[in-house]
Amino acid sequence: MDQEVNRKESSTAGGAPALDKGLDLLEVLASEPGGLTQKQLAARLGRSVGEIFRMLGVLERRGYIAREPRTGEYSLTLQLFRLATRYPPTRRLQQVALPIMEALATETGLGCHLGMLSGQHLLILAQADANMTMGWMVRLGAVFPFGMQYVSARILAAFQSGRKREDAVAILAAQSGMPPALITPRLDRIAAIGHDISPSEVADGLVDLSCPILDDRGHAVAALTLPFLPRFGTKAEAADALPLLLDAARAISARIGAVIED
């Protein structure tokens, strides 16, 4: 019986059904902020509990997922993030960006983070905190849906061209439940001005500021984002921090090979 199932799956999944199941599990867990039980995972994937049982064991043994003993819920570990950061271009970007980000955080009194597209998700690759007792931060290694509500996702999609732009728009449309015809004009406006500054669509009271980190072809390889949190007793506006963010993004871009025009 198992052999029949495997043969059927092999014929419909290019000969690698186990790999398909494993990747499906990782993708479902990556889109879930909390954990999921084995039964919930099976329901999400349209498979039986028995089909995913052994795959969960392999992923847990290899350190990609962890099981909470009390609830039985599975969640992703940081193993995928560690793999991503070993990739030489990613490592180089981290090394170049972090000192500049730390200087930006110190100068503005605001935390900042660097996000990049990873599959169909937004991965936080680097993060710098301001030297303040209170503030807003995004966790290093966090994974979010690549949706229009995230300013980093809008920046990453806006500063692409050709097939890469089309693919990014398709992911945004799928993750956000919006037609591409509504997404593309907004991305075009962002690309025209070179940044995005707008009220946060994730947290009340924040203003999102984000700029692209560009490669030598002028495409965004990452988004440098500075969530602006107003404070009582100060007159600072989000627009006041924008020139500092733009300078930081240009500095990082230049160090990874982009040609920056004055």
Side-chain angles (χ1 to χ4, degrees), residues 2 75 103 118 126 130 137 142 148-149 162 169 173 201 241-242 246 249 258 260:
D2 286 344
S75 59
S118 177
M137 58 84 68
M148 283 293 285
Q149 69 270 39
V169 169
E201 297 176 25
L242 182 59
L246 288 167
I260 306 299

Side-chain angles (χ1 to χ4, degrees), residues 130-163:
N131 186 22
M132 304 286 286
T133 55
M134 295 179 65
W136 176 268
M137 58 84 68
V138 176
R139 180 171 54 83
L140 177 67
V143 177
F144 301 95
F146 195 75
M148 283 293 285
Q149 69 270 39
Y150 296 105
V151 66
S152 298
R154 299 195 297 268
I155 286 289
L156 286 163
F159 292 89
Q160 304 296 338
S161 61
R163 181 61 182 272

